Amino acid sequence: MAGGTSVKSVFDVMAVREQFPILKRQINGRPLVYLDNAASAQKPRAVIDSLVSVMEGSYSNVHRGLHTLSNEATEAFETAREIVARFLNAETPEQVVWTKGGTEAINLVANGIGLDIREGDEIIVTEMEHHSNIVPWHLLRERKGAVLRWAPILDDGSLD
């Protein structure tokens, strides 16, 4: 940084844990630590409260009705897409595709890319991938005759 100053960032783990009600739970006498977020992420209080609010007051199909509740749901859905598009610096909100979770998203990507994969093409994944990001590529390899390559991880956790 200019002038010899530096910015120190502090990640307050306890402040983040406080946002997740389930992390107050103890298992075997110890605080819950949940690491399977690729399969099912735990929800912070803000998300839980938003879900309850929608379920109690305005739940309806998105893009499937002309009544007030459907219009409210559609507007909220598209507003969220616009916010995420800005955050990701997407050219348009339509470039943001909602899925139920990471596994579905990875499967969509693999199946989309899979249309152009040919026998002998190489698919590279890292040794640190979650199971949900390995299976679709294995299946694609089997269907198309591609080669699966593994990028190794160094002792410090970086990619080789």
Side-chain angles (χ1 to χ4, degrees):
M1 299 216 94
T5 62
S6 66
V7 175
K8 185 174 182 179
S9 178
V10 177
F11 181 72
D12 187 344
V13 173
M14 295 314 290
V16 172
R17 284 185 64 87
E18 235 357 85
Q19 296 176 37
F20 292 79
I22 197 167
L23 297 181
K24 291 177 177 56
R25 183 169 174 196
Q26 296 230 340
I27 296 181
N28 298 324
R30 302 182 78 120
L32 173 63
V33 175
Y34 189 84
L35 300 176
D36 199 14
N37 291 308
S40 189
Q42 299 303 327
K43 309 299 183 271
R45 172 58 56 202
V47 170
I48 294 168
D49 291 347
S50 289
L51 287 169
V52 169
S53 176
V54 167
M55 297 297 167
E56 290 179 345
S58 64
Y59 181 76
S60 185
N61 290 324
V62 172
H63 294 297
R64 298 286 187 262
L66 295 175
H67 53 84
T68 300
L69 294 180
S70 181
N71 289 338
E72 288 173 358
T74 299
E75 184 178 338
F77 181 93
E78 292 302 336
T79 298
R81 187 193 308 269
E82 291 167 9
I83 291 167
V84 170
R86 282 194 304 273
F87 179 76
L88 297 175
N89 200 27
E91 289 182 27
T92 67
E94 292 74 24
Q95 291 178 316
V96 174
V97 177
W98 301 119
T99 62
K100 292 184 293 288
T103 300
E104 181 184 25
I106 291 168
N107 283 311
L108 280 172
V109 169
N111 286 321
I113 290 173
L115 297 173
D116 294 325
I117 296 290
R118 304 284 179 249
E119 187 171 342
D121 284 350
E122 295 184 358
I123 301 167
I124 302 170
V125 295
T126 72
E127 293 175 341
M128 71 174 143
E129 298 304 323
H130 186 275
H131 186 69
S132 64
N133 193 30
I134 295 172
V135 172
W137 306 112
H138 270 289
L139 295 174
L140 186 57
R141 175 196 59 147
E142 290 173 2
R143 278 196 322 270
K144 298 289 193 148
V147 177
L148 198 57
R149 300 269 185 222
W150 298 91
I153 307 302
L154 300 175
D155 289 342
D156 67 0
S158 63
L159 291 174
D160 184 351

